[in-house]
Amino acid sequence: MIMADETAYQEQFRYTRILLRQERIQTRVREMGAELSRRFRGEKPLLITLLKGGFIFLADLCRAMTIPHELDFMLVRSYEGTTTTGTVQIIMDLKTNIEGRHVVLVEDIVDTGLTLEYIRDHLALRKPASLMVCCLLDKKEAREVDVPLEMVGFTVENEYLVGYGLDYNQLYRNLPFVAAIDPDQA
Ligand code: IMP
Protein backbone atom coordinates (compact mmCIF):
# COMPACT_ATOMS: atom_id res chain seq x y z
CA MET A 1 0.00 0.00 0.00
CA ILE A 2 1.24 3.46 -0.84
CA MET A 3 1.04 5.82 2.12
CA ALA A 4 -0.14 9.31 1.24
CA ASP A 5 -0.35 12.67 2.97
CA GLU A 6 -3.98 12.88 4.14
CA THR A 7 -4.04 16.66 4.22
CA ALA A 8 -3.43 16.76 0.46
CA TYR A 9 -6.98 15.52 -0.18
CA GLN A 10 -8.84 18.03 2.00
CA GLU A 11 -9.08 20.81 -0.56
CA GLN A 12 -10.26 18.66 -3.45
CA PHE A 13 -12.76 16.31 -1.78
CA ARG A 14 -15.75 17.01 0.42
CA TYR A 15 -15.91 14.45 3.17
CA THR A 16 -17.18 15.12 6.67
CA ARG A 17 -14.64 13.04 8.61
CA ILE A 18 -12.10 10.28 8.24
CA LEU A 19 -13.38 7.04 9.71
CA LEU A 20 -10.47 4.68 9.07
CA ARG A 21 -6.98 6.02 8.62
CA GLN A 22 -4.44 4.37 6.32
CA GLU A 23 -2.39 2.76 9.10
CA ARG A 24 -5.47 1.16 10.64
CA ILE A 25 -6.62 -0.25 7.30
CA GLN A 26 -3.13 -1.56 6.54
CA THR A 27 -2.78 -3.32 9.88
CA ARG A 28 -6.15 -5.04 9.51
CA VAL A 29 -5.60 -6.01 5.86
CA ARG A 30 -2.26 -7.52 6.80
CA GLU A 31 -3.96 -9.62 9.52
CA MET A 32 -6.63 -10.76 7.08
CA GLY A 33 -4.02 -11.72 4.48
CA ALA A 34 -2.11 -13.74 7.08
CA GLU A 35 -5.31 -15.50 8.19
CA LEU A 36 -6.22 -16.42 4.59
CA SER A 37 -2.68 -17.70 4.02
CA ARG A 38 -3.01 -19.98 7.04
CA ARG A 39 -6.47 -21.20 6.06
CA PHE A 40 -5.65 -22.02 2.46
CA ARG A 41 -2.08 -23.27 2.73
CA GLY A 42 -1.49 -25.81 -0.08
CA GLU A 43 -4.87 -25.07 -1.74
CA LYS A 44 -4.20 -22.30 -4.34
CA PRO A 45 -7.49 -20.48 -3.67
CA LEU A 46 -9.20 -18.20 -6.17
CA LEU A 47 -9.93 -14.67 -4.97
CA ILE A 48 -12.84 -13.03 -6.73
CA THR A 49 -13.71 -9.40 -6.38
CA LEU A 50 -16.63 -7.34 -7.48
CA LEU A 51 -15.59 -4.37 -9.53
CA LYS A 52 -15.24 -1.63 -9.24
CA GLY A 53 -15.42 -1.09 -5.45
CA GLY A 54 -13.25 -4.05 -4.39
CA PHE A 55 -10.19 -3.36 -6.51
CA ILE A 56 -8.09 -1.49 -3.95
CA PHE A 57 -8.89 -3.86 -1.08
CA LEU A 58 -8.05 -6.83 -3.31
CA ALA A 59 -4.78 -5.24 -4.44
CA ASP A 60 -3.65 -4.85 -0.83
CA LEU A 61 -5.12 -8.12 0.43
CA CYS A 62 -3.48 -10.26 -2.25
CA ARG A 63 -0.10 -8.70 -1.50
CA ALA A 64 -0.63 -9.45 2.19
CA MET A 65 -1.06 -13.14 1.31
CA THR A 66 2.06 -15.29 1.33
CA ILE A 67 0.63 -18.34 -0.50
CA PRO A 68 0.11 -18.85 -4.25
CA HIS A 69 -3.43 -17.92 -5.37
CA GLU A 70 -5.32 -16.78 -8.45
CA LEU A 71 -7.46 -13.69 -9.01
CA ASP A 72 -10.57 -13.09 -11.05
CA PHE A 73 -13.10 -10.28 -11.36
CA MET A 74 -16.78 -9.68 -11.90
CA LEU A 75 -18.35 -6.38 -12.75
CA VAL A 76 -21.75 -5.96 -11.16
CA ARG A 77 -24.10 -3.03 -10.82
CA SER A 78 -26.49 -2.63 -7.92
CA TYR A 79 -26.32 1.00 -6.89
CA GLU A 80 -27.27 4.37 -8.35
CA GLY A 81 -26.09 7.35 -6.28
CA THR A 82 -26.45 6.33 -2.64
CA THR A 83 -29.41 3.96 -2.87
CA THR A 84 -29.62 0.33 -3.83
CA THR A 85 -31.64 -0.44 -6.93
CA GLY A 86 -32.59 -3.83 -5.50
CA THR A 87 -31.52 -5.68 -8.63
CA VAL A 88 -28.06 -6.96 -9.38
CA GLN A 89 -26.82 -6.92 -12.92
CA ILE A 90 -23.75 -8.95 -13.93
CA ILE A 91 -22.02 -6.84 -16.54
CA MET A 92 -18.85 -8.94 -16.75
CA ASP A 93 -18.70 -12.54 -15.52
CA LEU A 94 -15.72 -14.64 -14.37
CA LYS A 95 -13.21 -16.07 -16.81
CA THR A 96 -12.29 -18.94 -14.46
CA ASN A 97 -14.14 -22.22 -14.01
CA ILE A 98 -14.67 -22.35 -10.24
CA GLU A 99 -15.89 -25.95 -10.01
CA GLY A 100 -13.89 -27.74 -7.31
CA ARG A 101 -11.97 -24.57 -6.38
CA HIS A 102 -11.64 -22.88 -3.02
CA VAL A 103 -13.21 -19.48 -3.65
CA VAL A 104 -12.84 -16.34 -1.56
CA LEU A 105 -15.27 -13.61 -2.51
CA VAL A 106 -13.60 -10.31 -1.65
CA GLU A 107 -16.06 -7.49 -1.01
CA ASP A 108 -15.47 -3.85 -0.20
CA ILE A 109 -18.63 -3.24 1.83
CA VAL A 110 -21.77 -5.17 2.68
CA ASP A 111 -24.77 -2.91 3.17
CA THR A 112 -28.25 -4.40 2.60
CA GLY A 113 -26.58 -7.70 1.69
CA LEU A 114 -28.65 -7.98 -1.50
CA THR A 115 -25.67 -7.87 -3.86
CA LEU A 116 -23.75 -10.45 -1.91
CA GLU A 117 -26.70 -12.79 -1.50
CA TYR A 118 -27.27 -12.76 -5.24
CA ILE A 119 -23.61 -13.29 -6.14
CA ARG A 120 -23.08 -15.92 -3.45
CA ASP A 121 -25.99 -17.98 -4.76
CA HIS A 122 -24.84 -17.45 -8.32
CA LEU A 123 -21.33 -18.76 -7.50
CA ALA A 124 -22.57 -21.64 -5.34
CA LEU A 125 -24.42 -23.04 -8.37
CA ARG A 126 -21.05 -23.54 -10.07
CA LYS A 127 -20.00 -26.05 -7.41
CA PRO A 128 -16.86 -24.60 -5.83
CA ALA A 129 -15.10 -26.84 -3.27
CA SER A 130 -15.69 -24.05 -0.73
CA LEU A 131 -16.94 -20.49 -0.79
CA MET A 132 -16.25 -17.83 1.79
CA VAL A 133 -16.75 -14.09 1.96
CA CYS A 134 -14.03 -11.73 3.07
CA CYS A 135 -15.32 -8.18 3.34
CA LEU A 136 -13.51 -5.08 4.51
CA LEU A 137 -16.52 -3.17 5.86
CA ASP A 138 -19.71 -4.52 7.38
CA LYS A 139 -22.58 -2.01 7.64
CA LYS A 140 -24.45 -4.37 9.93
CA GLU A 141 -27.39 -2.12 10.82
CA ALA A 142 -28.38 -1.71 7.18
CA ARG A 143 -28.73 -5.45 6.52
CA GLU A 144 -31.97 -6.56 4.84
CA VAL A 145 -31.04 -10.18 4.13
CA ASP A 146 -29.08 -12.49 6.34
CA VAL A 147 -25.99 -13.43 4.39
CA PRO A 148 -22.96 -15.11 6.02
CA LEU A 149 -19.70 -13.14 6.23
CA GLU A 150 -16.85 -15.43 7.19
CA MET A 151 -14.26 -12.66 7.57
CA VAL A 152 -14.87 -8.97 8.32
CA GLY A 153 -12.34 -6.16 8.49
CA PHE A 154 -14.35 -3.53 10.36
CA THR A 155 -17.96 -3.15 11.45
CA VAL A 156 -19.11 0.38 10.58
CA GLU A 157 -22.09 2.64 11.23
CA ASN A 158 -24.89 3.10 8.76
CA GLU A 159 -23.66 6.15 6.87
CA TYR A 160 -22.41 6.68 3.35
CA LEU A 161 -18.69 5.94 3.07
CA VAL A 162 -16.15 6.71 0.39
CA GLY A 163 -12.48 6.06 -0.29
CA TYR A 164 -10.24 2.99 -0.49
CA GLY A 165 -12.18 1.89 -3.58
CA LEU A 166 -15.63 3.10 -2.51
CA ASP A 167 -17.21 5.78 -4.65
CA TYR A 168 -19.89 8.39 -4.62
CA ASN A 169 -21.07 8.78 -8.22
CA GLN A 170 -17.77 7.26 -9.40
CA LEU A 171 -15.57 9.73 -7.52
CA TYR A 172 -13.59 9.42 -4.24
CA ARG A 173 -12.27 5.90 -4.96
CA ASN A 174 -8.67 7.08 -4.80
CA LEU A 175 -8.78 8.39 -1.23
CA PRO A 176 -6.28 6.20 0.66
CA PHE A 177 -8.52 6.22 3.77
CA VAL A 178 -12.24 5.59 4.40
CA ALA A 179 -14.30 8.72 5.04
CA ALA A 180 -17.95 9.61 5.59
CA ILE A 181 -19.69 12.07 3.29
CA ASP A 182 -22.87 14.06 3.39
CA PRO A 183 -24.39 13.20 -0.03
CA ASP A 184 -26.19 16.57 -0.12
CA GLN A 185 -22.88 18.38 -0.02
CA ALA A 186 -20.58 16.00 -1.89
P1 IMP B 1 -25.65 -4.08 -0.80
O1 IMP B 1 -26.21 -4.89 -1.90
O2 IMP B 1 -26.67 -3.09 -0.28
O3 IMP B 1 -25.06 -4.87 0.33
O4 IMP B 1 -24.53 -3.15 -1.40
C1 IMP B 1 -23.31 -3.62 -1.76
C2 IMP B 1 -22.58 -2.68 -2.69
O5 IMP B 1 -23.09 -1.35 -2.66
C3 IMP B 1 -21.14 -2.57 -2.27
O6 IMP B 1 -20.35 -3.57 -2.86
C4 IMP B 1 -20.78 -1.17 -2.72
O7 IMP B 1 -20.34 -1.19 -4.07
C5 IMP B 1 -22.07 -0.39 -2.63
N1 IMP B 1 -22.16 0.35 -1.35
C6 IMP B 1 -22.89 0.05 -0.26
N2 IMP B 1 -22.72 0.94 0.73
C7 IMP B 1 -21.84 1.84 0.25
C8 IMP B 1 -21.21 3.02 0.82
O8 IMP B 1 -21.43 3.43 1.98
N3 IMP B 1 -20.35 3.67 0.00
C9 IMP B 1 -20.06 3.26 -1.27
N4 IMP B 1 -20.60 2.17 -1.82
C10 IMP B 1 -21.48 1.46 -1.07
Side-chain angles (χ1 to χ4, degrees):
M1 192 192 209
I2 299 165
M3 298 295 275
D5 172 12
E6 280 173 6
T7 57
Y9 298 84
Q10 277 165 359
E11 272 179 30
Q12 299 292 322
F13 292 92
R14 289 172 176 232
Y15 48 85
T16 49
R17 75 199 153 89
I18 296 181
L19 207 81
L20 298 169
R21 309 206 98 87
Q22 299 171 80
E23 295 78 8
R24 203 155 159 228
I25 299 173
Q26 275 219 33
T27 303
R28 186 68 188 116
V29 172
R30 228 180 276 125
E31 284 170 6
M32 295 167 95
E35 170 62 24
L36 288 172
S37 301
R38 271 194 298 277
R39 243 190 238 196
F40 292 105
R41 206 189 155 115
E43 303 284 9
K44 291 201 185 67
L46 173 70
L47 271 58
I48 295 175
T49 206
L50 305 184
L51 295 171
K52 304 172 193 169
F55 83 108
I56 290 186
F57 177 39
L58 179 79
D60 286 340
L61 184 69
C62 76
R63 285 176 293 174
M65 287 175 68
T66 51
I67 58 164
H69 60 276
E70 290 179 37
L71 305 174
D72 204 348
F73 302 90
M74 289 176 88
L75 177 58
V76 304
R77 187 159 60 204
S78 55
Y79 260 62
E80 295 288 344
T82 59
T83 50
T84 179
T85 56
T87 52
V88 181
Q89 222 183 326
I90 296 177
I91 294 160
M92 184 187 85
D93 209 337
L94 298 173
K95 303 282 183 284
T96 317
N97 176 6
I98 65 168
E99 190 172 340
R101 300 292 304 270
H102 292 283
V103 171
V104 182
L105 188 52
V106 178
E107 256 283 47
D108 51 356
I109 187 165
V110 182
D111 185 358
T112 62
L114 290 165
T115 308
L116 189 59
E117 183 180 57
Y118 182 90
I119 299 298
R120 218 188 151 119
D121 291 350
H122 179 80
L123 296 179
L125 288 174
R126 300 181 185 178
K127 301 189 175 66
S130 69
L131 177 58
M132 69 166 279
V133 173
C134 169
C135 78
L136 183 69
L137 306 172
D138 178 8
K139 238 194 237 182
K140 228 180 192 150
E141 282 171 37
R143 202 60 40 76
E144 288 177 20
V145 288
D146 190 19
V147 58
L149 307 180
E150 284 78 6
M151 196 182 282
V152 172
F154 302 94
T155 302
V156 293
E157 309 269 302
N158 190 7
E159 58 191 330
Y160 201 83
L161 302 176
V162 293
Y164 200 70
L166 296 171
D167 75 307
Y168 173 66
N169 286 340
Q170 300 305 324
L171 297 174
Y172 294 88
R173 293 191 199 277
N174 61 308
L175 299 184
F177 44 80
V178 173
I181 58 162
D182 177 352
D184 294 334
Q185 289 181 9

